[in-house]
Amino acid sequence: MYQAIIKEIPEQVRPLFNQGKVADYIPALGKVSPMKFAMAAKAVSGEIYYAGEVDEKFSLQSISKAFAMILAIRMLGDDLWQKVGRSLSARAFNSISQIEEYGGRPRNPFTNGGAIAIVDLLLTHDVHYLESLLILVRKLTGNRKIDYDRSVAKSEKEFGHRNAAIAYFLKSYGILKNQVEDVLDAYFVQCSLAMSCNDLSRSLLFLANRGVDPKNETVVLTPQQNRHLNALLMMFGTYDGAGDFVFRIGLPGKSGVGGGIAVIVPGKMVIAVWSPALDEFGTSVAGLKALEIFIEKGDLGIF
Ligand code: GLU
């Protein structure tokens, strides 16, 4: 039944492809066609349902922050919360004024400031952080070809003045330990992780299965850590768009300005969707609609 629902979705959301805007503040992303679309749902039981270009890679951007958080939760435990909060952000993901308003402490780990602070913590604990992240992601996807897209990282660095401002601002508050340039470089490379909807839906499946990867029974997170990460994704995964996202989707999820969204359906599946044109919160317009249709018709809500 899920395959019958999903295969109709590209046609249903096509009118929305031109309603958002591709993220051209990172020039390398601005070149991607807004007509691209893919959706893949990987079930805990092993089935996969799909529509569109599910094997085409796209830039994960902020979805990479979910993978960084797996390492941060495992490596740092509660120490993590010394540098970032667990509060909703009512401002844009790259707001600077919000950091000042709250005394230099990023509101949560998924705003740009929060994610930059997490990268700093990870670099402090592991000088080979970017390699560790790649090893984790390759293991979770089961795809050894997953890699960073250095041209996207370079493009973001060249035009990433706002993120640089955020990082220097955090440094001035004593939130960052490492050199600002090193933290920023690692953050841009992390955001440049590229993979397909197929890969993405597989990689996060443990989040729908109490922290255990159902493909090979590996424990990725303990049940408690898994509950925490799902909660963080539900509350903060779509920034100041989270209210609308939770109202329409009602499940944990993470967006990225590359146009991808990953959604966790506890106990059942992970849905990955990709459509590059974004709304004002940096979330894919057609992707969000596609998720809404699939969850509604598939009766996948948890409430
Ligand atoms: N690399 C992007 C930035 O820092 C990530 C934002 C996102 O995907 O939401 O602006």
Side-chain angles (χ1 to χ4, degrees), residues 130-203:
L130 287 173
E131 283 105 288
S132 305
L133 184 69
L134 207 50
I135 290 169
L136 172 79
V137 171
R138 286 179 177 166
K139 203 164 165 203
L140 291 175
T141 53
N143 181 352
R144 288 168 50 190
K145 290 197 186 135
I146 301 288
D147 216 336
Y148 302 113
D149 183 334
R150 301 273 170 177
S151 64
V152 171
K154 187 165 169 274
S155 173
E156 182 164 6
K157 183 179 168 152
E158 237 171 275
F159 295 86
H161 308 116
R162 200 174 175 89
N163 281 327
I166 290 173
Y168 279 104
F169 210 40
L170 292 176
K171 184 79 176 174
S172 79
Y173 280 105
I175 297 283
L176 304 187
K177 259 197 179 158
N178 297 280
Q179 294 292 326
V180 170
E181 288 302 315
D182 295 343
V183 180
L184 275 174
D185 280 349
Y187 172 75
F188 293 139
V189 173
Q190 173 198 295
C191 285
S192 81
L193 256 180
M195 66 174 78
S196 67
C197 275
N198 233 334
D199 294 319
L200 183 58
S201 59
R202 278 161 202 267
S203 64

Side-chain angles (χ1 to χ4, degrees), residues 176-251:
L176 304 187
K177 259 197 179 158
N178 297 280
Q179 294 292 326
V180 170
E181 288 302 315
D182 295 343
V183 180
L184 275 174
D185 280 349
Y187 172 75
F188 293 139
V189 173
Q190 173 198 295
C191 285
S192 81
L193 256 180
M195 66 174 78
S196 67
C197 275
N198 233 334
D199 294 319
L200 183 58
S201 59
R202 278 161 202 267
S203 64
L204 293 178
L205 203 49
F206 70 93
L207 279 170
N209 194 43
R210 294 178 63 80
V212 178
D213 187 338
K215 304 187 295 294
N216 49 25
E217 298 298 315
T218 307
V219 177
V220 183
L221 293 177
T222 66
Q224 187 200 43
Q225 292 170 332
N226 187 63
R227 187 165 57 75
H228 287 165
L229 185 49
N230 270 290
L232 297 171
L233 288 168
M234 181 130 167
M235 291 185 294
F236 316 129
T238 42
Y239 314 116
D240 49 335
D244 182 54
F245 184 84
V246 173
F247 180 79
R248 291 171 61 187
I249 307 300
L251 292 164

Side-chain angles (χ1 to χ4, degrees), residues 64-73 118-119 122 129 133 190:
S64 68
K65 296 172 184 171
F67 294 105
M69 275 303 282
I70 300 169
L71 290 180
I73 287 172
I118 299 289
V119 169
L122 287 164
Y129 161 57
L133 184 69
Q190 173 198 295

Side-chain angles (χ1 to χ4, degrees), residues 25-26 61-62 65 93 112 156 163 187 191 239 255-258:
Y25 78 96
I26 302 174
Q61 292 301 314
S62 280
K65 296 172 184 171
F93 61 93
N112 282 11
E156 182 164 6
N163 281 327
Y187 172 75
C191 285
Y239 314 116
S255 61
V257 296

